[in-house]
Each structure stands twice: as C-alpha cells, then as structure tokens.
Amino acid sequence: MSSLGLIPLLALLGCAPTPAPTPTPTKPVGPLTATEAAKLEPVGDPVDLEITSAPHVPPPITRDTPAKLVINLEVKEVQKAISDGVDYVQWTFGGDVPGRFIRVRQGDSVEFHLNNHPDNKMPHNIDLHAVTGPGGGAASSFTAPGHSSQFSFKALNPGLYVYHCATAPVGMHIANGMYGLILVEPPGGLPKVDREYYVMQGDFYTVGKYREKGLQPFDMQKAIEENATYVLFNGSEGSLVGDKALTAKVGETVRLFVGNGGPNLVSSFHVIGEIFDRVYTEGGSNFQENVQTTLVPAGGSAIVEFKVDVPGTYILVDHSIFRTFNKGALGMLKVEGPDDKPVYSGKEIDDVYLADKAASTAPPVPAAGGVLSKDDQIKAGGLLFAGTCSTCHQADGKGIEGVFPPLAGSDFLLGDVERAIGVVVNGRSGPITVNGKDYNSVMPPMSNLNDDEVANILTYVTNSFGNSGGVVTAEQVKKVRASTPRPPGAAH
Amino acid sequence: MIALLLAAAWAADRVPVGPGVYEPLYPPSPEEARIPVPRFLLAVEPVTNEEYAAFVEENPAWGRGVARLYADEGYLDDWAAPDAPGASVLPDAPVTRVSWYAARAYCRSVGGRLPTEGEWEIAGAASETSWDARKDPHFLARLLAWYGSPTPRVLPAVGGMANRWGVRDLHGLVWEWVEDFNASLVDVDPRGADGEARFCGGGVVGATAVADYAAFMRLALRASLQADSTVRNLGFRCALDGP
C-alpha cells in the first residue's frame, strides 16, 4: 500500500497543473498505511452494520474514528429467474446475486458472522479480498448447513474488494452467484458525488441454451470450457432495465462500484454514451481520467465516476459485445433533465440489433396446448413485453421519437395485424413512417419466442397504452411464420 | 430384546457390497492411493424417522434432551416432540438432524456400525446399471443437479431406485454420515492456503479424480462437520462387516 495520499501523488506525477493545496491538518484525510491502520483501536460500542442489496449502496461513512462493526450475512440457496421464463438455483450471500454490499472504513474492526441457512444443501464459506490473513477468512468461516461461524478482522487497506465463496468446488460456488463487494473507505471518505450504485457482473452456465425456458441446471462442462450461456449484471437479465434502471439527473455525478465475480470472464466495462471522468482502476487508490472502457478482472473491481450532461438512456455493457446482445450483459442508466434530444444511446442500440440478428437463429419451442382467455393473453403478453420489448418501445409503449417507433396509438401496428406479426417473427429494418414520423431502425427477429408468446405479446400491445383491438391467436402467428422463408437449419 | 428384534428387522434390508478399491481424492501417501475395501453389508435405505423413534423409545437418553456434548441444539429439532417425530415429518422419510455420535449409537444398537468413507464411496459410485458410474456424464449430471438445489421443506420418503448393488437413496435424498467423516484431513479452505496441496484451486492439485465434482462436494460437506453437528439434510445408514 502506498503511503502517499492521492493529492501528493498526482503532484508527483505532474498530473496537477498547479501545486495542490495542503489539506487542513486537523484530522488525517486519505489512506493510511496498512501498518498505521493495524494500530487503530475501535471507538465506541459495537454497531450492527447495514448492508444493502444491489444496486443500492450504504451511505458514505461520516465517522472520523474507527469502529467495531458486526456483520451478519446469511447464505441462501434460492431459485430465481435469470431471464424471462428461465429459472436457476442461485447460491447467494444475502438472498440475491450479487451479495450484499458492505461498506467499512479503513482501520475498522469487523466481527463477521456467516450464517448458512438450514435449508441449504451445501457447506459454504467466505473469502473477503479485503481481509489480510490466510484464505481471507475462508478457513475460519467454513460452515455446514444450519450452522453459523464467526471470525474477526481489521480492514487494513482501503479499496473496493470482491468477496466470494471458496468452498470446493470453488468454481461452481462462484458460478452459482456467490460473490459481492466490500468497500473499505480511506479516512475522510471518497470525494462527494450525487449518486452511488452497485453493479456486479457474473457469468452463468446452464444446460439449456440462452433463453431456453424452464428451470436450468448448472452445466459443469460448459463452465470448465469457459463457454458462458449468460453474462449478467446483478444476477439476472433485466435487473437494471425498465423500472429497475439506474437513475440520475442532468448535471449530477454518478459513481458506480463495479465488481466482477467471474468465475471465468474478464469484463470490458463500458457505458454507452458516457466517458468515465475517473476510474479507480482495479478498485485501488489511484485514478485514471477520461476512460472509455475499463477492464474488470474476475475477482476484481473498479470504481468509475462520471458527470451526466445530457438526458437520455445510457447503456451499461460488457464491451466484449456479444455478451451484451446475446448473453444478457446489459443495464441502463436513465438520466432526466432539461429537454434535449437523446441521441447517443439510439445509435449504439442500432449496433445491438445487427449483432443480435446475425446470431439469432434459435428455433421456436412449441408451448403446451390449451387456449387462454383474452385477459390471460394480455396478462401473459405484458410480462413478456416488460422483459423483451419495453427496452426499446418503452414501458408506456410510446417509444422514443425518431429512434424507436411508438406502439401506443400506432397506425403502423393497428393498421395490419399480419404485418405486425411478421415484424415480431422476422424482424424489420429500413425506413418506415409511424403516425407521421419517419424512423429508420432495426428490430431483430424475436426467434426465441414461440407462437403463443408472439400472440400474447401482440394481444397485449394492441389492447394497451390506449389501444383497443381484438385477439391475436397462435394460429395466425403460425401461418405468418410458415409463410416466411427461413435459412436452412433455422427451423427444426 | 427389542434391540435384537430391530437388528433382525434391519438384517432383512441389507445387501452385500464390494469388494472394491477405494481411491481417495487426496491419498495420504502414494501407497494409499488405492485402498482395498473388503466385502461388507450395507443397509438398503437410510434410517427413517420411524426407525429412529423406536431407538429413542428404547434409549430415552438419545431423545432431544441428549447431553449437548453429543449433539448440538439442532438435534431432532424438526420432530414434533422431544422423543417422537409426530406429524411434522414423514415417518418413512430419512431421519436427519442427528449427530455422528447419535448415528453411531443407533447402529451399535442394531448390531451394526456406520460405513467407512471408502465403503460409502464404493456403494455410491454405482448407478442403476453400472458398478462404477463415476465417469458417466449422465449420472454425474443427475448428482450435480441434486447437489445444486435446496432441500425441500418436507423430506420425501425413502425408496428411490436401487443401484447396481441393490442400495437405494445414496444420492438425491440426504447427505449421510460416515464413520471416518473427517479422516481426509481436508484443509477447511479448499485452496490450500497453507501450502498444503490438498484442495488447491478448487480441488485440482494432488487430487486423483479431477472430474468427479460430486465426490468433491461430499468431501466438502464432510469436512464442514463436527461430530456433534446436526444438519437438516444429513442422515445416515448402517453397515456390517461382510459375510
């Protein structure tokens, strides 16, 4: 650990144009050395520490003395949706992937309790990269189901650290979601920002292919081959889109605590339409400025900061880009503010759909028999719409003027049902006019949806957002699909 | 007298297993890489709540109030009463939340003993059709799928498909105690932080069967246990020296 604070170090490197002002010497600000931190003794009574689920982050620490903190973290094995209609048994620190965000101050003494829920199948432990000592706590926290372990450590080095399970087979425990972040703030804290969020990437390996419906078991062979089925932010596709998108206002500074649990893939973390003003590379003490894409190692982190100047939707991606468009690594930051035409994200998403179209030849899977009522169709379609369609057409069906055509009151949609079916099944590109406005975008073919699902989505959109229409049946979809020439091998 | 009757009843439901050769994941020495296991008798099914209740009735000291030295506070915690399972568990479901001490005491009471790790692994290596299915990807996938899902609220009854030896429910129902559950001396941090090449890198360095993830998971579970531990999905079955 460098004994130099941030400001003197920058001056040393010649990055600061003028000599930095010396901080008022009333209390120490900036990181201590690990040796100095080791000598700190907690002040006051032990405190139960608040830990948060992603994307939330506990508030900055305002204490200027070290404390004794008690952390209770429960390991739970839970069945969760990782994509629309795709369930997976995730092993979690706290009930969600990623695990709870832990925020402490350099020099704090932490009493850590790892509680392994009685319903769990597996023994678990925790290795916190913020812990100095053999195994990072793993050996001291190895816990059978229905039991609890306690160990204590002092946070010696400031930085943003990954924690994870280290029980054999380690790769499988991590692949199932057992990772999270712990932030050790330097005394004086990090520079003040307006928003802080927690985003953690992980790769998942399922027996079924991408978006194959149902409960999907872990595929050990794919994991060994590092052939990920899903690459996800915050444990599921859609965890950071629609209503769950991150938010900010024009003029605010946003800080993302970015982690990568792996188990295998290194992330090329990027926000489409933004430049990171600062990146604390690998979660350490020094920052780089004006970065487009930062590498986040498996088992590593980065802190990125940027001021949002223009309203619009900014897309969080792993710029190893097929992971974004074909494996699920996509999140959103919605920035509101004074009216201004959002242009950045529009162009980037155009790129998306070309990639998706090129790769998407998955055959539709027939659904079980039976006929739904119109209301049930609308309900089922609404769920699918929220996950798949609302990304572009927006949750209120109004689209984005000039980029994504509206569905609400859309003359193009309501004028010709068969044409609408064709667009969903086969995609569409090129210029069209909707309600008098011109659009020139690409919609990929939704070939992962079966006939029933397409029928339900169309019944939903033609009966929502003020539209009122009839029922679109699977039979109609089947007919349109059958009349479309498909590439050899695409339908079997 | 009752113990004898129980022993007789149990004797009807045991089958010979082996002889075989046990290959520990972490052989203590090169000479011990392949350990011959003589033929032995193994219970066809794990001990059920009903059977264990009969044992507690005969040996009240092994009710829920057993000395804490022999079982932690979770002992028989899911039974309705300290000495009777009641309606909260299925009578034919495997008894769980029993410590190693308790499992040994039960097996002694019926004239048997716990199987050794080697014995259990030889019995557990068999699928329905093969004596040694450890390299059968379908068999392994089935095991991993079970290991990967949480324990159901109410454990189902024993009586799964018999494997090639005629033994049921070794996989897919509960974990099971073995006599020498902590004999592998596995480092509790499986990556061998102390330079011990036991479990390093998630079970690679020094391990003999790197693809047998199922075996690693059983080893990890056993390593997490103390002799007084009780776990909601950990039961046992008894064995006897072979004929």
Side-chain angles (χ1 to χ4, degrees):
Chain A
M1 196 87 258
S2 163
S3 63
L4 296 168
L6 295 179
I7 292 166
L9 183 63
L10 281 173
L12 191 72
L13 294 173
C15 293
T18 49
T22 314
T24 331
T26 46
K27 68 179 94 140
V29 169
L32 309 171
T33 65
T35 313
E36 286 164 349
K39 289 183 190 136
L40 294 179
E41 290 302 325
V43 176
D45 293 332
V47 180
D48 283 328
L49 188 68
E50 180 204 352
I51 53 181
T52 58
S53 305
H56 304 293
V57 178
I61 292 166
T62 50
R63 282 183 282 117
D64 52 13
T65 51
K68 165 84 178 279
L69 304 170
V70 180
I71 295 176
N72 266 284
L73 189 56
E74 184 182 53
V75 177
K76 283 183 91 167
E77 300 163 3
V78 288
Q79 185 172 322
K80 292 245 181 185
I82 58 169
S83 182
D84 280 338
V86 185
D87 277 9
Y88 187 82
V89 176
Q90 292 186 323
W91 297 351
T92 72
F93 285 110
D96 302 288
V97 177
R100 295 280 193 268
F101 194 99
I102 301 170
R103 186 169 200 155
V104 304
R105 180 183 182 273
Q106 189 184 12
D108 281 348
S109 297
V110 178
E111 180 186 300
F112 203 102
H113 298 258
L114 189 74
N115 307 316
N116 193 354
H117 195 280
D119 290 349
N120 291 349
K121 190 69 65 62
M122 290 291 152
H124 297 287
N125 63 6
I126 190 167
D127 168 353
L128 298 120
H129 291 177
V131 169
T132 306
S140 317
S141 61
F142 192 43
T143 311
H147 290 75
S148 173
S149 296
Q150 179 191 327
F151 67 101
S152 296
F153 66 92
K154 198 173 275 187
L156 298 186
N157 299 61
L160 181 61
Y161 297 94
V162 166
Y163 66 78
H164 63 89
C165 185
T167 298
V170 178
M172 181 176 179
H173 283 253
I174 294 176
N176 283 347
M178 299 198 75
Y179 41 76
L181 290 178
I182 172 170
L183 172 69
V184 182
E185 285 191 7
L190 300 171
K192 193 181 170 315
V193 293
D194 301 296
R195 309 260 178 174
E196 291 184 327
Y197 291 112
Y198 170 19
V199 177
M200 194 155 188
Q201 181 171 324
D203 24 307
F204 288 82
Y205 303 82
T206 62
V207 169
K209 64 186 177 187
Y210 176 60
R211 285 194 176 171
E212 193 169 313
K213 307 275 190 280
L215 175 61
Q216 291 293 333
F218 168 68
D219 190 318
M220 179 61 87
Q221 195 54 42
K222 283 185 187 166
I224 292 170
E225 288 162 5
E226 307 192 10
N227 174 22
T229 325
Y230 293 86
V231 180
L232 302 173
F233 293 131
N234 290 357
S236 72
E237 198 168 14
S239 66
L240 293 173
V241 304
D243 294 348
K244 297 182 207 152
L246 307 177
T247 58
K249 294 199 168 71
V250 166
E252 288 185 331
T253 301
V254 177
R255 173 181 291 139
L256 302 180
F257 294 106
V258 184
N260 184 6
N264 289 320
L265 303 181
V266 170
S267 175
S268 306
F269 187 73
H270 177 78
V271 176
I272 298 177
E274 264 302 342
I275 295 160
F276 303 138
D277 299 326
R278 286 180 172 185
V279 175
Y280 292 82
T281 319
E282 294 165 3
S285 299
N286 299 324
F287 59 80
Q288 169 68 293
E289 293 178 294
N290 303 321
V291 175
Q292 57 192 307
T293 300
T294 193
L295 212 56
V296 188
S301 72
I303 304 173
V304 306
E305 296 170 3
F306 51 94
K307 182 163 172 261
V308 286
D309 300 301
V310 182
T313 300
Y314 297 83
I315 312 290
L316 282 57
V317 301
D318 179 341
H319 218 299
S320 303
I321 207 72
F322 272 92
R323 298 175 188 169
T324 290
F325 299 122
N326 301 80
K327 299 191 173 189
L330 184 146
M332 289 184 176
L333 168 68
K334 288 188 178 169
V335 177
E336 289 183 350
D339 222 9
D340 205 340
K341 193 167 178 171
V343 287
Y344 301 106
S345 56
K347 285 193 173 180
E348 290 291 348
I349 286 177
D350 193 274
D351 192 24
V352 170
Y353 290 123
L354 289 172
D356 202 13
K357 189 176 182 180
S360 181
T361 51
V365 182
V371 176
L372 294 180
S373 69
K374 182 178 176 184
D375 281 351
D376 284 343
Q377 270 197 282
I378 291 173
K379 207 170 144 195
L383 289 174
L384 290 163
F385 180 87
T388 304
C389 321
S390 69
T391 309
C392 298
H393 292 293
Q394 305 299 301
D396 59 6
K398 288 184 181 151
I400 293 177
E401 196 176 303
V403 185
F404 303 125
L407 303 172
S410 163
D411 55 2
F412 187 90
L413 168 70
L414 302 169
D416 184 343
V417 168
E418 287 208 357
R419 178 175 62 189
I421 295 171
V423 170
V424 176
V425 171
N426 303 313
R428 194 180 201 295
S429 60
I432 57 169
T433 304
V434 181
N435 295 352
K437 304 273 179 200
D438 291 332
Y439 294 86
N440 190 355
S441 263
V442 181
M443 171 157 158
M446 298 294 156
S447 39
N448 53 305
L449 300 173
N450 63 34
D451 295 345
D452 284 311
E453 291 169 326
V454 173
N456 292 345
I457 287 175
L458 283 168
T459 304
Y460 170 76
V461 299
T462 53
N463 289 283
S464 303
F465 328 121
N467 299 342
S468 73
V471 166
V472 178
T473 65
E475 206 48 46
Q476 285 173 287
V477 178
K478 193 177 176 186
K479 229 169 87 189
V480 172
R481 199 191 293 275
S483 67
T484 312
R486 298 172 76 80
H492 52 86
Chain B
M1 185 59 199
I2 284 176
L4 283 175
L5 285 174
L6 280 172
W10 178 66
D13 292 310
R14 62 194 189 198
V15 290
V17 175
V21 174
Y22 171 51
E23 298 170 284
L25 287 174
Y26 298 97
S29 68
E31 296 74 40
E32 292 164 281
R34 291 171 56 78
I35 300 171
V37 174
R39 193 175 175 85
F40 66 103
L41 295 169
L42 188 63
V44 169
E45 288 164 350
V47 175
T48 64
N49 284 304
E50 194 170 31
E51 290 166 334
Y52 199 80
F55 163 70
V56 170
E57 197 180 343
E58 180 66 10
N59 304 276
W62 283 104
R64 201 187 288 158
V66 71
R68 275 292 84 91
L69 183 64
Y70 297 120
D72 67 26
E73 57 270 30
Y75 180 66
L76 298 180
D77 186 58
D78 53 346
W79 279 18
D83 55 357
S88 58
V89 293
L90 298 179
D92 292 341
V95 66
T96 59
R97 293 190 181 279
V98 288
S99 66
W100 177 79
Y101 293 113
R104 291 185 99 214
Y106 177 95
C107 288
R108 267 203 309 274
S109 80
V110 296
R113 57 173 175 78
L114 284 174
T116 64
E117 184 171 39
E119 288 171 339
W120 197 100
E121 288 294 328
I122 282 169
S127 65
E128 288 81 358
T129 53
S130 160
W131 304 113
D132 183 358
R134 285 176 300 165
K135 293 193 173 68
D136 173 352
H138 300 291
F139 179 68
L140 280 178
R142 241 163 66 207
L143 265 51
L144 288 178
W146 177 69
Y147 293 165
S149 48
T151 308
R153 261 285 139 215
V154 177
L155 282 173
V158 300
M161 290 269 281
N163 75 7
R164 189 77 196 261
W165 300 108
V167 184
R168 301 176 192 275
D169 302 319
L170 285 163
H171 306 289
L173 196 51
V174 287
W175 303 107
E176 293 183 11
W177 280 109
V178 294
E179 173 68 16
D180 47 347
F181 68 95
N182 53 4
S184 289
L185 292 175
V186 169
D187 195 333
V188 287
D189 179 352
R191 301 155 303 170
D194 299 332
E196 301 270 332
R198 290 226 177 258
F199 236 9
C200 187
V204 181
V205 178
T208 57
V210 290
D212 195 352
Y213 277 86
F216 281 111
M217 291 163 101
R218 290 192 291 273
L219 201 57
L221 189 278
R222 288 173 196 141
S224 76
L225 300 171
Q226 307 291 326
D228 67 343
S229 297
T230 70
V231 178
R232 205 169 84 73
N233 51 31
L234 174 65
F236 70 100
R237 72 180 71 215
C238 305
L240 253 187
D241 289 341

